[in-house]
Amino acid sequence: MRRARGVLALASELAESPLESLARLAVHDSGLPMPQLQAELDAFGSVYRVDMIWPEQRVILELDGRLKYSADELWREKLRHEHLVRLGYTVLRATWFDIEHDWPATLARIRHALGLAMPAFPTV
Protein backbone atom coordinates (compact mmCIF):
# COMPACT_ATOMS: atom_id res chain seq x y z
CA MET A 1 0.00 0.00 0.00
CA ARG A 2 2.85 2.39 0.85
CA ARG A 3 4.49 1.75 -2.52
CA ALA A 4 1.23 2.41 -4.37
CA ARG A 5 0.83 5.72 -2.53
CA GLY A 6 4.39 6.64 -3.49
CA VAL A 7 3.72 5.92 -7.16
CA LEU A 8 0.49 7.93 -7.08
CA ALA A 9 2.32 10.86 -5.48
CA LEU A 10 4.62 10.96 -8.52
CA ALA A 11 1.79 10.83 -11.06
CA SER A 12 1.12 14.00 -13.01
CA GLU A 13 -1.46 14.92 -15.61
CA LEU A 14 1.20 17.22 -17.06
CA ALA A 15 3.19 14.31 -18.49
CA GLU A 16 2.66 14.29 -22.24
CA SER A 17 4.34 10.96 -22.98
CA PRO A 18 5.52 7.76 -21.33
CA LEU A 19 9.09 9.03 -21.82
CA GLU A 20 8.35 12.10 -19.68
CA SER A 21 6.91 9.89 -16.93
CA LEU A 22 9.92 7.56 -17.08
CA ALA A 23 12.33 10.52 -16.91
CA ARG A 24 10.48 12.03 -13.96
CA LEU A 25 10.70 8.70 -12.10
CA ALA A 26 14.43 8.46 -12.87
CA VAL A 27 14.95 12.03 -11.62
CA HIS A 28 13.06 11.25 -8.43
CA ASP A 29 14.80 7.92 -7.80
CA SER A 30 18.20 9.58 -8.32
CA GLY A 31 17.56 12.11 -5.58
CA LEU A 32 17.61 15.13 -7.88
CA PRO A 33 15.43 18.10 -7.01
CA MET A 34 12.10 17.74 -8.77
CA PRO A 35 11.73 20.01 -11.80
CA GLN A 36 8.68 21.99 -12.82
CA LEU A 37 6.77 20.27 -15.61
CA GLN A 38 5.47 21.86 -18.79
CA ALA A 39 6.50 25.40 -17.83
CA GLU A 40 5.90 28.16 -20.36
CA LEU A 41 8.67 30.63 -21.19
CA ASP A 42 8.39 33.83 -23.22
CA ALA A 43 11.24 34.11 -25.69
CA PHE A 44 11.62 36.68 -28.45
CA GLY A 45 7.92 36.99 -29.19
CA SER A 46 7.10 33.29 -28.80
CA VAL A 47 5.88 31.23 -25.87
CA TYR A 48 7.63 27.90 -25.51
CA ARG A 49 6.54 25.06 -23.26
CA VAL A 50 9.42 22.97 -21.93
CA ASP A 51 9.17 19.42 -20.62
CA MET A 52 11.12 19.92 -17.39
CA ILE A 53 12.80 22.98 -15.90
CA TRP A 54 14.82 23.79 -12.83
CA PRO A 55 14.19 27.56 -12.95
CA GLU A 56 16.66 28.61 -10.24
CA GLN A 57 19.53 26.87 -12.04
CA ARG A 58 18.16 27.86 -15.48
CA VAL A 59 18.32 24.25 -16.69
CA ILE A 60 15.81 22.70 -19.08
CA LEU A 61 15.48 19.01 -19.88
CA GLU A 62 13.67 18.18 -23.11
CA LEU A 63 12.63 14.60 -23.78
CA ASP A 64 12.78 13.81 -27.48
CA GLY A 65 10.89 11.10 -29.29
CA ARG A 66 12.02 10.25 -32.77
CA LEU A 67 8.68 10.37 -34.58
CA LYS A 68 7.69 13.98 -33.96
CA TYR A 69 10.34 15.65 -36.11
CA SER A 70 9.54 16.33 -39.74
CA ALA A 71 11.90 18.68 -41.59
CA ASP A 72 9.73 21.69 -40.68
CA GLU A 73 9.41 20.57 -37.06
CA LEU A 74 13.15 20.07 -36.85
CA TRP A 75 13.74 23.65 -38.05
CA ARG A 76 11.21 25.07 -35.56
CA GLU A 77 12.83 23.06 -32.78
CA LYS A 78 16.27 24.38 -33.73
CA LEU A 79 15.00 27.98 -33.51
CA ARG A 80 13.22 27.24 -30.23
CA HIS A 81 16.40 25.73 -28.78
CA GLU A 82 18.44 28.76 -29.88
CA HIS A 83 15.93 31.18 -28.31
CA LEU A 84 16.02 29.33 -24.98
CA VAL A 85 19.83 29.32 -24.96
CA ARG A 86 19.88 33.06 -25.78
CA LEU A 87 17.68 33.59 -22.70
CA GLY A 88 20.45 32.04 -20.62
CA TYR A 89 19.12 28.51 -20.17
CA THR A 90 21.16 25.35 -20.42
CA VAL A 91 19.04 23.05 -22.59
CA LEU A 92 19.69 19.34 -22.22
CA ARG A 93 18.07 16.81 -24.49
CA ALA A 94 17.43 13.15 -23.73
CA THR A 95 15.91 10.28 -25.68
CA TRP A 96 14.31 7.04 -24.54
CA PHE A 97 17.73 5.36 -24.84
CA ASP A 98 19.32 8.02 -22.61
CA ILE A 99 16.78 7.47 -19.85
CA GLU A 100 16.31 3.71 -20.03
CA HIS A 101 19.75 2.45 -21.09
CA ASP A 102 22.25 5.21 -20.39
CA TRP A 103 20.84 6.80 -17.23
CA PRO A 104 24.19 7.08 -15.36
CA ALA A 105 25.65 9.28 -18.13
CA THR A 106 22.41 11.24 -18.47
CA LEU A 107 22.26 11.75 -14.72
CA ALA A 108 25.85 13.00 -14.74
CA ARG A 109 24.96 15.57 -17.45
CA ILE A 110 21.94 16.78 -15.46
CA ARG A 111 23.87 16.94 -12.18
CA HIS A 112 26.66 18.89 -13.89
CA ALA A 113 24.21 21.38 -15.41
CA LEU A 114 22.50 21.82 -12.03
CA GLY A 115 25.85 22.43 -10.35
CA LEU A 116 25.53 19.33 -8.18
CA ALA A 117 28.54 17.26 -7.28
CA MET A 118 28.44 13.59 -8.13
CA PRO A 119 27.89 11.51 -5.00
CA ALA A 120 30.93 9.73 -3.68
CA PHE A 121 30.86 5.97 -4.07
CA PRO A 122 32.06 3.91 -1.14
CA THR A 123 35.37 2.16 -1.69
CA VAL A 124 35.52 -1.55 -1.15
Side-chain angles (χ1 to χ4, degrees):
M1 193 67 158
R2 187 177 338 156
R3 186 173 183 181
R5 283 189 188 115
V7 169
L8 286 175
L10 289 174
S12 172
E13 71 268 0
L14 297 175
E16 294 184 337
S17 71
L19 178 57
E20 289 181 22
S21 295
L22 182 65
R24 194 173 64 258
L25 181 60
V27 164
H28 172 271
D29 288 353
S30 298
L32 290 173
M34 290 306 288
Q36 290 180 12
L37 305 177
Q38 304 304 329
E40 292 186 345
L41 301 171
D42 292 319
F44 304 98
S46 296
V47 176
Y48 298 122
R49 191 172 62 208
V50 297
D51 295 333
M52 296 182 182
I53 185 171
W54 290 268
E56 295 82 22
Q57 295 89 349
R58 300 190 69 79
V59 173
I60 293 169
L61 178 62
E62 292 285 29
L63 289 307
D64 292 329
R66 183 179 174 137
L67 297 178
K68 78 177 190 179
Y69 292 114
S70 66
D72 288 340
E73 276 296 317
L74 190 56
W75 180 251
R76 281 191 291 275
E77 187 61 26
K78 180 190 179 328
L79 295 176
R80 177 181 178 273
H81 182 98
E82 178 64 22
H83 286 166
L84 294 171
V85 169
R86 285 173 52 195
L87 285 177
Y89 289 94
T90 297
V91 181
L92 304 175
R93 307 193 85 83
T95 64
W96 190 274
F97 181 87
D98 296 324
I99 304 300
E100 188 173 20
H101 300 290
D102 199 21
W103 179 245
T106 304
L107 174 60
R109 288 190 308 129
I110 296 168
R111 291 185 68 82
H112 178 75
L114 293 174
L116 301 173
M118 288 301 290
F121 292 100
T123 56
V124 178

Coordinates of all heavy atoms in Angstrom, one line a residue, residues 5 27 34 39 43-44 47 60 66 74 81 86-87 89-90 96 103 107 110 117:
R5 N 1.0 4.3 -2.9 CA 0.8 5.7 -2.5 C 2.0 6.5 -3.1 O 1.8 7.6 -3.6 CB 0.7 5.9 -1.0 CG -0.6 5.5 -0.5 CD -0.8 6.0 1.0 NE -2.0 5.4 1.5 CZ -2.1 4.5 2.5 NH1 -1.0 4.1 3.1 NH2 -3.3 4.1 2.9
V27 N 14.5 10.8 -12.4 CA 15.0 12.0 -11.6 C 14.7 11.9 -10.1 O 15.5 12.1 -9.3 CB 14.3 13.3 -12.2 CG1 14.4 14.5 -11.2 CG2 14.9 13.7 -13.6
M34 N 13.1 17.9 -7.8 CA 12.1 17.7 -8.8 C 11.9 19.0 -9.6 O 11.9 20.1 -9.1 CB 10.8 17.4 -8.1 CG 10.8 15.9 -7.5 SD 11.3 14.7 -8.7 CE 9.8 14.6 -9.8
A39 N 6.5 24.0 -18.1 CA 6.5 25.4 -17.8 C 6.5 26.1 -19.2 O 7.1 25.7 -20.1 CB 7.7 25.8 -17.0
A43 N 9.9 33.9 -25.1 CA 11.2 34.1 -25.7 C 11.1 34.8 -27.1 O 10.6 34.1 -28.0 CB 12.0 32.8 -25.8
F44 N 11.5 36.0 -27.2 CA 11.6 36.7 -28.4 C 10.3 36.6 -29.2 O 10.3 36.3 -30.4 CB 12.8 36.1 -29.3 CG 14.1 36.2 -28.6 CD1 14.6 35.1 -27.9 CD2 14.8 37.3 -28.5 CE1 15.8 35.1 -27.2 CE2 16.0 37.4 -27.8 CZ 16.5 36.3 -27.2
V47 N 6.0 31.9 -27.2 CA 5.9 31.2 -25.9 C 6.2 29.8 -26.1 O 5.6 29.1 -27.0 CB 4.5 31.4 -25.3 CG1 4.3 30.6 -24.0 CG2 4.1 32.8 -25.1
I60 N 17.0 23.3 -18.4 CA 15.8 22.7 -19.1 C 16.2 21.3 -19.5 O 17.3 21.1 -20.1 CB 15.4 23.5 -20.3 CG1 14.8 24.9 -19.8 CG2 14.3 22.8 -21.1 CD1 14.6 25.9 -21.0
R66 N 11.5 10.2 -31.4 CA 12.0 10.3 -32.8 C 10.9 10.6 -33.8 O 11.2 11.3 -34.8 CB 12.6 8.9 -33.1 CG 13.2 8.9 -34.5 CD 13.8 7.6 -34.8 NE 14.3 7.5 -36.2 CZ 15.4 7.0 -36.6 NH1 16.2 6.5 -35.7 NH2 15.8 7.1 -37.8
L74 N 11.7 20.0 -37.2 CA 13.2 20.1 -36.8 C 13.7 21.5 -36.9 O 14.4 22.0 -36.0 CB 14.0 19.2 -37.7 CG 15.4 18.9 -37.3 CD1 15.5 18.4 -35.9 CD2 16.1 18.0 -38.3
H81 N 15.2 26.0 -29.6 CA 16.4 25.7 -28.8 C 17.3 27.0 -28.7 O 17.8 27.3 -27.6 CB 17.1 24.5 -29.4 CG 18.3 24.1 -28.6 ND1 18.3 23.1 -27.7 CD2 19.6 24.6 -28.6 CE1 19.5 22.9 -27.2 NE2 20.3 23.8 -27.7
R86 N 19.6 31.6 -25.8 CA 19.9 33.1 -25.8 C 19.3 33.7 -24.5 O 19.7 34.8 -24.1 CB 19.3 33.7 -27.1 CG 20.2 33.4 -28.2 CD 19.7 33.9 -29.6 NE 19.3 35.3 -29.6 CZ 18.5 35.8 -30.5 NH1 18.1 35.1 -31.5 NH2 18.2 37.1 -30.5
L87 N 18.2 33.1 -24.0 CA 17.7 33.6 -22.7 C 18.5 33.2 -21.5 O 18.2 33.6 -20.4 CB 16.3 33.1 -22.5 CG 15.2 33.7 -23.4 CD1 13.8 33.0 -23.1 CD2 15.0 35.2 -23.1
Y89 N 19.4 29.9 -20.7 CA 19.1 28.5 -20.2 C 20.1 27.5 -20.7 O 20.5 27.6 -21.9 CB 17.7 28.1 -20.5 CG 16.6 28.8 -19.8 CD1 16.0 29.9 -20.3 CD2 16.3 28.4 -18.5 CE1 15.1 30.6 -19.6 CE2 15.3 29.1 -17.8 CZ 14.7 30.2 -18.3 OH 13.7 30.9 -17.6
T90 N 20.5 26.5 -19.9 CA 21.2 25.3 -20.4 C 20.1 24.4 -20.8 O 19.2 24.0 -20.0 CB 22.0 24.7 -19.3 OG1 23.0 25.7 -18.9 CG2 22.7 23.4 -19.8
W96 N 14.7 8.2 -25.3 CA 14.3 7.0 -24.5 C 15.6 6.3 -24.2 O 15.7 5.8 -23.0 CB 13.4 6.2 -25.4 CG 12.8 5.1 -24.6 CD1 13.3 3.8 -24.4 CD2 11.5 5.1 -23.9 NE1 12.5 3.1 -23.6 CE2 11.4 3.9 -23.3 CE3 10.5 6.1 -23.8 CZ2 10.2 3.6 -22.5 CZ3 9.4 5.8 -23.0 CH2 9.3 4.5 -22.4
W103 N 21.2 5.9 -18.3 CA 20.8 6.8 -17.2 C 22.1 7.3 -16.5 O 22.1 8.5 -16.1 CB 19.8 6.2 -16.3 CG 19.4 7.2 -15.2 CD1 19.7 7.0 -13.9 CD2 18.9 8.5 -15.4 NE1 19.2 8.2 -13.2 CE2 18.7 9.1 -14.1 CE3 18.4 9.2 -16.4 CZ2 18.2 10.3 -13.9 CZ3 17.9 10.5 -16.2 CH2 17.8 11.0 -14.9
L107 N 22.3 11.2 -16.1 CA 22.3 11.7 -14.7 C 23.5 12.6 -14.5 O 23.4 13.7 -13.9 CB 22.2 10.6 -13.7 CG 22.3 11.0 -12.2 CD1 21.2 12.0 -11.8 CD2 22.3 9.8 -11.3
I110 N 22.9 15.9 -16.2 CA 21.9 16.8 -15.5 C 22.6 17.3 -14.2 O 22.5 18.5 -13.9 CB 20.7 16.0 -15.1 CG1 20.0 15.5 -16.4 CG2 19.7 16.8 -14.2 CD1 18.8 14.5 -16.2
A117 N 27.4 18.2 -7.3 CA 28.5 17.3 -7.3 C 28.0 15.8 -7.4 O 26.9 15.5 -6.9 CB 29.4 17.4 -6.0

